Amino acid sequence: MVPLIDLKIQHRSIASEIEAAIKNVCDNTAFILSDEMKSFENEFASYCGAKHGIGVANGTEALFLALVALGVGEGDEVIVPANTFIATAEAVSHAGAIPVFVDVDPQTYCMDPSKIGGAITARTKVVMPVHLYGHPADMDAITSVARNSGL
């Protein structure tokens, strides 16, 4: 039996570095608004080529804050893949918007760019792709559809 995913292999090469960082945070009880967090935010922003980085408690919160930053709110629609973790639709709903599900590409299990156009309405504000099972969403095609639709 081949496991769906084996994170132990990935973790093994960086385990000592991660464990030392966690120990440092715990030893200093630096859980919130700490120097370690500021350092992480700055380093991650730099890595991503962004001006700022903001650490949050979990992925759902990150998605929600991104939607709020984009001005998504009550009555707006956000296009999401039909095959995704509940946090995607949950963040959309929490922002007051309506998740609109589009089918996925059977090869990648990610949002099918050819299905997005049929889901866009006057209330559509955002397309929220999700990379899944190690397959990246086709961002070039998704971005092209979104930009051509003013999203």
Side-chain angles (χ1 to χ4, degrees):
M1 177 181 271
V2 177
L4 175 65
I5 189 165
D6 184 0
L7 297 177
K8 291 177 187 172
I9 294 169
Q10 181 181 15
H11 176 74
R12 208 173 292 135
S13 66
I14 57 174
S16 61
E17 184 180 350
I18 290 173
E19 290 163 7
I22 291 171
K23 182 178 182 334
N24 184 50
V25 168
C26 291
D27 288 350
N28 294 307
T29 61
F31 305 114
I32 299 171
L33 301 176
S34 66
D35 289 339
E36 286 85 355
M37 186 59 155
K38 288 178 196 169
S39 176
F40 170 78
E41 291 170 338
N42 291 335
E43 288 178 34
F44 192 74
S46 176
Y47 175 80
C48 293
K51 287 183 181 180
H52 306 284
I54 301 171
V56 294
N58 55 62
T60 307
E61 191 172 273
L63 293 172
F64 167 72
L65 290 175
L67 291 168
V68 170
L70 291 170
V72 173
E74 196 68 37
D76 292 332
E77 293 178 350
V78 176
I79 296 175
V80 299
N83 185 32
T84 185
F85 184 65
I86 186 68
T88 310
E90 182 181 34
V92 172
S93 295
H94 187 55
I98 301 159
V100 176
F101 298 96
V102 298
D103 209 351
V104 298
D105 178 317
Q107 297 301 116
T108 65
Y109 310 108
C110 295
M111 183 182 289
D112 184 340
S114 71
K115 308 285 185 190
I116 297 170
I120 295 173
T121 72
R123 297 189 313 174
T124 304
K125 191 109 179 212
V126 170
V127 177
M128 184 187 289
V130 175
H131 310 298
L132 196 60
Y133 305 133
H135 297 282
D138 185 348
M139 294 305 296
D140 290 338
I142 292 168
T143 301
S144 177
V145 172
R147 283 193 177 138
N148 290 338
S149 300
L151 303 174

